[in-house]
Amino acid sequence: MPIAEILIFEGRSDDQKRAIMRGVTDALARSMDAEPERIRVILKEIPTNHFSVAGVSIADSRAAGNPPGKK
C-alpha cells in the first residue's frame, strides 16, 4: 500500500488540497501500477510562522514583500 506524505504551507483552499491529493494519487497509481483504492495520501499544512529560511519565517518574509531566502 503506497503512502505519500506531503508538506505544504497553510493557506490553500480545500479545492486546491483536493486537487493535490487527486494528482498525487493518480501519479502513484501510474508510476507504481497500484490501484488508487490502495493509495493513501497524508497532507500536512505547516503554519508559515513555523518555517524559516535563513532564520526568517515565511510569514515575516511574505509580510515584508520579500521572497523567502532572497536578500
Side-chain angles (χ1 to χ4, degrees):
M1 170 184 338
I3 301 171
E5 183 175 24
I6 301 165
L7 303 173
I8 62 172
F9 292 123
E10 65 185 353
R12 288 170 178 82
S13 71
D14 287 341
D15 285 341
Q16 289 173 313
K17 290 182 267 189
R18 284 185 198 98
I20 291 167
M21 292 185 281
R22 268 193 311 271
V24 169
T25 297
D26 292 346
L28 287 173
R30 281 191 313 274
S31 64
M32 299 182 75
D33 194 27
E35 297 175 17
E37 297 78 17
R38 306 277 304 153
I39 296 170
R40 308 296 186 256
V41 178
I42 302 164
L43 190 62
K44 293 184 177 180
E45 292 184 277
I46 301 170
T48 56
N49 62 338
H50 291 188
F51 187 95
S52 68
V53 175
V56 179
S57 76
I58 299 300
D60 290 343
S61 292
R62 287 179 177 174
N66 300 319
K70 303 285 182 181
K71 290 187 176 188

